[in-house]
Amino acid sequence: MTKPWLLTFLVMAAASPMAAQRNRGPEGGTDFGDAPVPNVPYDGRFTFVRIKFEVGLQGFRGRRDLKWDHDYPRAERHFTKILEELTTVQPRVDASNIFALDDPELFKFPIAYLSEPGFWQPTDREVAGARAYLQKGGLMILDDFVGNQIFNLENQLRRILPGARMIALTKEHPIFDAFYRIESLDYVHPMFGQPSIFFGVFEDNDPAKRMLMIVNYNNDIGEYWEWSDTGLFAIDLSNDAYKIGVNYLVYALTR
């Protein structure tokens, strides 16, 4: 049985205290000076893919706030390290990719993560790309949004998959027993304290069919991944976020 502190310990071992201190900064990945690095070509290994999108001139503490880059790159670096240590998946731990939804290279990667869908307003080309990606077998993980931001996501979902509905999941859904058995879904957003709801979007709105999207509403598992080596959040909360993420990956890769 996995000891309750093991997941976070692995990340802390992978990131030195000096590196953690150097990378600390306000919310929003690239404000640590970590500009997106070039994408790496597909080589058969699991590569963490993040979706980028335009949000206009959003500002945060004197800089442009891209929204889609929140928690980049520490969240994916930490998560892929956990994935490598605890599963038989052989992920890229040294790199990750960033694509727009209309980039044909995205179709080489079966799982894509999108942060801050409350601000997501895809172009018509990106809507068509998202529809094709999902219909051809891709899974999108939508994370880091809260409150009324769900209305924007509902609007964009209607553009991408007309007639599709977000269906609230219970802990009995197989995605919560794909690797770890998740005993409770009683989580809250790490910053705002809102109770979390996990939604699935399925083919033909049928939970017995393939999942197209997993939606973390009133939650931000990327935030827990990013700061798991700093003590900002309780170890149990960070570990739970890793367990959920590992389950998502294993579920998607085995179905």
Side-chain angles (χ1 to χ4, degrees):
M1 181 174 66
T2 304
K3 293 182 172 56
W5 42 262
L6 178 57
L7 300 184
T8 302
F9 174 80
L10 289 170
V11 169
M12 294 179 72
S16 71
M18 185 65 70
Q21 181 67 38
R22 184 171 59 249
N23 285 329
R24 292 179 187 177
E27 170 69 35
T30 55
D31 58 337
F32 307 135
D34 294 310
V37 298
N39 287 347
V40 294
Y42 176 76
D43 66 359
R45 289 180 289 172
F46 171 78
T47 303
F48 192 104
V49 166
R50 181 182 287 262
I51 298 300
K52 65 179 180 179
F53 55 89
E54 291 295 326
V55 294
L57 298 177
Q58 298 284 338
F60 185 84
R61 296 187 183 180
R63 69 170 185 90
R64 188 180 181 195
D65 186 3
L66 300 178
K67 300 299 184 186
W68 62 262
D69 69 336
H70 282 195
D71 310 319
Y72 173 91
R74 286 161 50 82
E76 40 261 68
R77 294 294 190 269
H78 289 173
F79 176 70
T80 52
K81 181 64 176 177
I82 288 292
L83 196 65
E84 179 188 48
E85 293 284 352
L86 298 180
T87 74
T88 58
V89 177
Q90 297 180 351
R92 293 290 301 258
V93 296
D94 60 335
S96 59
N97 286 345
I98 299 171
F99 295 110
L101 282 164
D102 60 352
D103 190 330
E105 286 295 304
L106 174 63
F107 287 78
K108 297 179 181 179
F109 302 88
I111 303 166
Y113 174 89
L114 190 149
S115 180
E116 293 278 5
F119 296 88
W120 179 38
Q121 296 186 354
T123 65
D124 290 343
R125 283 176 54 90
E126 290 169 339
V127 165
R131 183 183 305 118
Y133 178 73
L134 296 171
Q135 291 176 340
K136 292 184 178 181
L139 173 74
M140 289 179 61
I141 300 169
L142 280 67
D143 187 41
D144 190 2
F145 73 121
V146 66
N148 291 339
Q149 293 174 354
I150 196 170
F151 299 134
N152 179 67
L153 176 56
E154 290 173 337
N155 289 337
Q156 307 315 324
L157 180 59
R158 281 192 288 268
R159 295 175 63 204
I160 295 168
L161 297 170
R165 295 185 293 109
M166 293 191 296
I167 298 173
L169 304 178
T170 68
K171 64 183 179 66
E172 283 71 37
H173 190 276
I175 201 168
F176 299 115
D177 197 22
F179 188 84
Y180 291 102
R181 178 169 293 175
I182 307 299
E183 300 289 354
S184 171
L185 300 182
D186 293 333
Y187 300 107
V188 297
H189 191 285
M191 296 300 180
F192 299 102
Q194 299 270 25
S196 302
I197 304 174
F198 296 85
F199 292 102
V201 177
F202 300 91
E203 289 181 328
D204 302 323
N205 292 322
D206 184 349
K209 294 187 177 181
R210 186 172 67 85
M211 182 182 287
L212 309 177
M213 293 180 175
I214 179 73
V215 179
N216 305 326
Y217 175 51
N218 286 339
N219 208 332
D220 186 356
I221 63 174
E223 186 83 359
Y224 289 117
W225 297 348
E226 179 188 15
W227 299 105
S228 58
D229 62 341
T230 68
L232 180 62
F233 300 112
I235 288 177
D236 286 349
L237 297 178
S238 296
N239 285 349
D240 285 345
Y242 281 122
K243 290 176 182 179
I244 289 171
V246 170
N247 275 30
Y248 289 175
L249 267 293
V250 172
Y251 178 86
L253 294 175
T254 56
R255 284 165 174 79

